[in-house]
């Protein structure tokens, strides 16, 4: 094999791994963890006269563990979706083409076990065994989701939404546990931030999951997955999705008004223009969905809104 052929093969394999792990989504997880930690949690601690509750090594192991568990979850999901991906992911299908099923399973075990091992570091250093237990539970639930739950009506969608908000809740729960009984004011601030960001992460992930069921309806029907779009059809799924988007618009509008009342004008303006307006656009784009082929734009828009929501952390302090 010549050098050019070898390099082509390596690049092809790297591109396959990029799609397999959903690296774009993993980058969003890292960005979320970084912004929440260093623009919300640490500034809140400093305001009350405390230092960062994580050392650099603990935080790095913690986030790397989350990323590897998520990468493993994406890998096992593709391994279990070989048939449906023939329809849903013609261009980006990895397992069964560039990477074999057996090799995909090996990659899954390596990434998941590595993530669990890394979670031992913050768990041990903070004397919080529940951190490792939560990582282990998350890994087991991702397996359960890929092999069973994703084929059940709404259960899989709710699980992914909960898992998305879990990252946010998890980051705040550690300092909450550290400062419980020491400073109740800081606990109240953390709870407020946790439920705002975690709740919105849950809501928009669930909205995107509903849109995704409409986008993947053909492949899911072929593999007998009982998703909401397969069972109730695209029209009814679209109506339910619009109802949740309306809830998101009302919630974000309420938050914007509260921010104006408390004179956080810059953050309020960002919430109004950067979150409420795009969510209204999402409502319109979802309302004109006719079939699975017209779902890509609202699906992408929901991701952009989630990213804009995360970026708002920069403006809080």
């Amino acid at each position: 094999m010549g050098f050019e052929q070898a390099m082509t093969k390596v690049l092809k394999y790297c591109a396959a791994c990029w799609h397999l792990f959903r690296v774009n989504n993993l980058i969003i997880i890292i960005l979320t963890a970084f912004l929440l930690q260093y623009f919300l949690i640490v500034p809140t601690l400093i305001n009350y006269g405390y230092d960062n509750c994580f050392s650099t090594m603990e935080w790095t192991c913690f986030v790397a563990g989350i990323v590897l568990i998520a990468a493993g979850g994406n890998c096992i999901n593709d391994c279990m979706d070989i048939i449906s991906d023939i329809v849903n992911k013609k261009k980006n299908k990895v397992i069964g083409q560039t990477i074999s099923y057996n090799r995909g399973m090996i990659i899954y075990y390596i990434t998941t076990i590595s993530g669990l091992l890394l979670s031992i570091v913050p768990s041990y250093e903070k004397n919080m065994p529940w951190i490792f237990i939560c990582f282990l539970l998350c890994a087991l639930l991702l397996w359960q989701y890929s092999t069973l739950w994703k084929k059940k009506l709404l259960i899989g969608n709710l699980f992914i939404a909960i898992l998305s908000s879990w990252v946010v809740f998890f980051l705040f729960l550690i300092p909450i546990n550290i400062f419980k009984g020491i400073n109740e004011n800081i606990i109240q601030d953390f709870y407020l931030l946790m439920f705002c960001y975690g709740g919105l992460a849950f809501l928009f992930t669930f909205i995107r999951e509903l849109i995704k069921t409409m986008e993947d309806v053909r492949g899911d029907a072929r593999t007998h997955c009982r998703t909401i779009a397969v069972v109730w059809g695209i029209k009814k799924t679209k109506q339910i999705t619009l109802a949740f988007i309306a809830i998101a618009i009302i919630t974000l509008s309420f938050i914007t008004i509260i921010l104006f009342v408390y004179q956080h004008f810059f953050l309020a303006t960002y919430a109004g223009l950067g979150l409420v307006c795009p969510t209204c656009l999402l409502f319109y784009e979802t309302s004109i969905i006719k079939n699975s082929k017209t779902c890509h734009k609202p699906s992408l828009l929901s991701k952009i809104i989630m990213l804009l929501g995360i970026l708002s952390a920069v403006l809080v302090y």
Side-chain angles (χ1 to χ4, degrees):
M1 184 184 293
F3 177 75
E4 290 185 3
Q5 288 179 315
M7 285 301 297
T8 301
K9 190 173 181 180
V10 169
L11 290 172
K12 186 178 179 181
Y13 201 83
C14 289
C17 287
W18 183 282
H19 288 298
L20 180 66
F21 291 140
R22 321 283 203 280
V23 174
N24 293 339
N25 293 344
L26 299 182
I27 291 171
I28 291 175
I29 291 175
I30 295 169
L31 181 64
T32 300
F34 177 82
L35 291 176
L36 293 181
Q37 179 69 15
Y38 291 102
F39 286 91
L40 291 181
I41 295 174
V42 172
T44 302
L45 291 170
I46 292 172
N47 277 350
Y48 285 94
Y50 299 103
D51 294 325
N52 190 353
C53 59
F54 266 134
S55 69
T56 302
M57 182 187 71
E58 291 166 356
W59 190 82
T60 301
C61 289
F62 180 81
V63 175
I66 291 175
V67 169
L68 286 169
I69 293 289
N74 291 332
C75 186
I76 188 65
N77 190 52
D78 274 14
C79 287
M80 298 300 167
D81 277 355
I82 290 178
I83 298 175
S84 61
D85 282 351
I86 293 172
V87 177
N88 294 333
K89 297 179 182 178
K90 291 179 182 179
K91 294 181 180 179
N92 296 328
K93 190 177 184 297
V94 175
I95 300 296
Q97 289 186 352
T98 309
I99 299 174
S100 68
Y101 172 83
N102 290 335
R103 189 166 291 180
M105 290 301 296
I106 291 171
I107 294 171
Y108 160 72
Y109 285 117
I110 291 172
T111 53
T112 301
I113 292 171
S114 298
L116 291 174
L117 290 174
L118 284 171
S119 72
I120 294 173
V121 176
S123 184
Y124 174 77
E125 292 293 332
K126 293 302 177 190
N127 194 24
M128 294 179 180
W130 60 267
I131 294 177
F132 173 76
I133 293 170
C134 285
F135 271 80
L136 179 60
L137 183 62
C138 183
L140 293 173
L141 291 175
L142 278 169
W143 173 279
Q144 187 76 357
Y145 164 77
S146 298
T147 56
L148 181 64
W149 289 347
K150 72 174 299 178
K151 296 183 179 181
K152 303 292 184 180
L153 184 65
L154 281 178
I155 295 175
N157 307 122
L158 285 169
F159 172 73
I160 293 299
I162 291 169
L163 192 65
S164 177
S165 60
W166 171 82
V167 176
V168 177
F169 278 86
F170 208 178
L171 281 164
F172 283 103
L173 283 174
I174 293 174
I176 284 172
N177 274 269
I178 291 173
F179 290 94
K180 188 176 287 184
I182 298 174
N183 191 321
E184 291 303 315
N185 290 326
I186 199 171
I187 297 298
Q188 290 176 6
D189 285 356
F190 279 140
Y191 271 125
L192 178 62
L193 291 169
M194 182 176 72
F195 283 108
C196 277
Y197 281 89
L200 288 172
F202 171 84
L203 184 57
F204 277 99
T205 303
F206 186 63
I207 289 168
R208 185 175 178 275
E209 279 294 304
L210 291 175
I211 295 170
K212 197 168 179 291
T213 61
M214 292 187 279
E215 191 173 15
D216 295 343
V217 65
R218 291 186 300 157
D220 290 339
R222 184 172 175 176
T223 53
H224 308 292
C225 291
R226 288 179 55 80
T227 65
I228 185 171
V230 171
V231 176
W232 292 345
I234 287 181
K235 185 177 180 180
K236 189 169 285 187
T237 304
K238 181 173 74 172
Q239 292 171 347
I240 294 169
T241 307
L242 289 172
F244 278 99
I245 297 173
I247 291 170
I249 292 170
I250 293 168
T251 303
L252 288 170
S253 298
F254 177 75
I255 291 172
T256 303
I257 292 168
I258 293 296
L259 289 170
F260 267 117
V261 169
Y262 283 91
Q263 299 183 347
H264 297 290
F265 298 121
F266 194 67
L267 186 57
T269 303
Y270 180 89
L273 297 178
L275 295 175
V276 176
C277 290
T279 308
C280 290
L281 178 61
L282 176 63
F283 186 93
Y284 169 74
E285 291 293 342
T286 304
S287 69
I288 60 175
I289 288 176
K290 294 180 180 179
N291 51 52
S292 61
K293 294 179 181 179
T294 56
C295 293
H296 179 70
K297 195 171 180 179
S299 179
L300 179 62
L301 185 57
S302 63
K303 263 191 172 183
I304 293 171
I305 294 169
M306 284 191 282
L307 182 60
L308 290 171
I310 294 163
L311 291 173
S312 70
V314 178
L315 306 175
V316 174
Y317 284 97

